[in-house]
Amino acid sequence: MRRTRFLAGGLAAGGLLSLTGSPVRAAGQTITLPFANGMRPIVAYPQKRPLILLTSRPPQLETPLAVFDEGDAFTPNDAFFVRWHLAGIPTSIDGDAFRINVHGAVERELSLSLGDLRRDFEPVEIAAVCQCSGNSRGYFSPRVPGGQWSNGAMGNAQWRGVRLGDVLKRAGIKAGAVQVRFNGLETPTLSTTPDFLKSLDVELAASPDVIVAYAMNGADLPLLNGFPVRLIVPGYFATYWVKMLDDVEVLTEPDQNFWMKTAYRIPTAGNGCISPGEKTETVPIGRMRVRSFITNLTDGQHVAAGSGQRLRGIAFDGGSGIERVDVSTDGGATWRAAKLNRDYGKYSFRRWETTFDAAAGQTYRLASRATAGDGSVQTTAVCWNPSGYLRNAIELVTVSVS
Ligand SMILES: Nc1nc2c(c(=O)[nH]1)N[C@H]1C(S)=C(S)[C@@H](COP(=O)(O)O)O[C@H]1N2
Ligand SMILES: [Mo]
């Protein structure tokens, strides 16, 4: 069924996408995220349903957690979170005139249209989670600077496009190449702000799962998620998933630009998790860590008494797949296995579900704990680092039964 929908999805090559609408703010609608200064407006941007507004310039929108409880394991395009670093984002892109330029240490420079991508390369599809490095940063204690996200700076989509490796093969990577650098169409508003550039080691860039995607869940990418094409680096944090990708440069020296050398780095010590004030060397952030969330109940909620109270959620990791999810109703004292739902591949959200007996007058401290294929498992240890990255602790949701 999905396949048919994707093929019938009307992937009109080219075409002008223009967003003339401006964000619509429903009068006075807000949400308060569960940390200090957590009040946020709810705003609908073009091609988006009302989402949680973090900043408007550049646009940063968070997905409400309840969205991950809807439908299947995929996050609808109009609810998918949005994060940009620079405010000079084009509001209108002519898909027919758009080109991706491939240059640097290559045998042949390429200038590829969307038609070239669709015609000349084998199409591939992959389900993969896009999660911001700073997802859940608002829960860091002590607090750290950066976007104060709750848990909604993530989403899962079925991406369709071509292998970056196939494009690089056509260009012909020269001996001595070490990294591939990616740039999108947007620009900084101040000349002193460094352009947003990200690089991957050549081996990773050419690996089969890294794709240049022109469709998301069977439709064109929303402009705010990178129309007309973006990079997909399954298993890796979203900082590498460059949107509106129009420039691919093969480098013979490691990239020294700000977004690689200074930003988006984690401590080498403590597997990325250190004590406040501790000084260590850093490395670029890489793969995501195993996480899980309860999606149908929220902290502080009242539920009706009865056996068979539903409990469900999602789990994912950095690309080894979800092996099991255990749940606890007593704050982690005892655990039992939840049922895993359909497997869309090792990079996708995996939905899980179970039930518990809710006795009148009781309070339940609910938790989920995912184990990944590589054996890594969520624990209660809370990761801290000065950039607010890598949170993956077991989360507690307390509900009381009326
Ligand atoms: N061109 C471009 N691509 C980008 C960014 C950006 O600022 N510009 N931000 C990155 C980061 S840090 C994140 S979290 C994801 C967000 O993807 P989304 O907006 O589709 O959710 O885009 C990545 N790709
Ligand atoms: Mo991010």
Side-chain angles (χ1 to χ4, degrees), residues 144-168:
V144 293
Q148 301 298 299
W149 301 106
S150 180
N151 298 322
M154 61 175 185
N156 185 46
Q158 183 83 37
W159 309 94
R160 183 181 174 85
V162 305
R163 291 184 198 92
L164 176 66
D166 291 349
V167 173
L168 293 172

Side-chain angles (χ1 to χ4, degrees), residues 48 58-61 63 80-86 89 130-135 149 153-155 159 182-186 195-198 216 222-226 230-231 237-245 259 264:
K48 294 285 170 182
Q60 296 194 83
L61 306 168
T63 305
F80 210 93
F81 87 102
V82 171
R83 193 268 190 266
W84 291 88
H85 293 79
L86 310 175
I89 305 165
C130 176
Q131 182 187 212
C132 182
S133 312
N135 192 26
W149 301 106
M154 61 175 185
W159 309 94
F182 307 94
N183 194 1
L185 284 175
E186 88 282 17
D195 195 8
F196 185 75
L197 305 168
K198 295 297 298 190
M216 173 178 178
L223 184 130
L224 289 170
N225 298 110
R230 82 177 301 173
L231 195 67
F237 278 105
T239 181
Y240 300 103
W241 298 40
V242 174
K243 301 189 280 188
M244 293 185 184
L245 176 67
W259 302 101
Y264 286 106

Side-chain angles (χ1 to χ4, degrees), residues 290 317 320-321 323 370-378:
V290 63
D317 83 317
S320 69
E323 193 95 333
T371 303
D374 63 5
S376 59
V377 51
Q378 290 182 270

Side-chain angles (χ1 to χ4, degrees), residues 23-253:
V24 177
R25 181 168 172 177
Q29 244 197 303
T30 62
I31 186 174
T32 299
L33 303 173
F35 42 72
N37 300 316
M39 204 204 266
R40 305 271 184 276
I42 304 289
V43 178
Y45 271 66
Q47 302 180 297
K48 294 285 170 182
R49 71 175 79 170
L51 297 173
I52 302 167
L53 182 72
L54 178 58
T55 62
S56 54
R57 196 174 158 77
Q60 296 194 83
L61 306 168
E62 169 160 359
T63 305
L65 207 71
V67 167
F68 304 117
D69 197 54
E70 281 176 20
D72 210 342
F74 296 98
T75 312
N77 291 2
D78 73 343
F80 210 93
F81 87 102
V82 171
R83 193 268 190 266
W84 291 88
H85 293 79
L86 310 175
I89 305 165
T91 52
S92 165
I93 293 173
D94 182 350
D96 292 329
F98 180 83
R99 297 288 182 278
I100 302 184
N101 297 305
V102 184
H103 61 107
V106 294
E107 304 292 344
R108 290 165 293 280
E109 293 196 350
L110 305 178
S111 175
L112 301 170
S113 69
L114 294 176
D116 296 336
L117 279 186
R118 287 169 202 269
R119 222 179 9 252
D120 300 347
F121 299 89
E122 186 192 343
V124 288
E125 266 183 19
I126 194 162
V129 175
C130 176
Q131 182 187 212
C132 182
S133 312
N135 192 26
S136 318
R137 184 185 284 121
Y139 298 101
F140 271 59
S141 173
R143 299 294 284 267
V144 293
Q148 301 298 299
W149 301 106
S150 180
N151 298 322
M154 61 175 185
N156 185 46
Q158 183 83 37
W159 309 94
R160 183 181 174 85
V162 305
R163 291 184 198 92
L164 176 66
D166 291 349
V167 173
L168 293 172
K169 204 174 288 169
R170 172 151 320 185
I173 297 180
K174 283 189 175 165
V178 295
Q179 287 190 332
V180 183
R181 176 155 76 187
F182 307 94
N183 194 1
L185 284 175
E186 88 282 17
T187 53
T189 47
L190 296 175
S191 58
T192 46
T193 308
D195 195 8
F196 185 75
L197 305 168
K198 295 297 298 190
S199 295
L200 298 176
D201 288 347
V202 145
E203 301 72 38
L204 174 58
S207 65
D209 291 343
V210 174
I211 69 174
V212 177
Y214 48 70
M216 173 178 178
N217 294 326
D220 285 346
L221 307 180
L223 184 130
L224 289 170
N225 298 110
F227 180 89
V229 291
R230 82 177 301 173
L231 195 67
I232 304 304
V233 191
Y236 282 73
F237 278 105
T239 181
Y240 300 103
W241 298 40
V242 174
K243 301 189 280 188
M244 293 185 184
L245 176 67
D246 72 328
D247 192 276
V248 176
E249 181 181 1
V250 179
L251 306 177
T252 52
E253 299 290 336

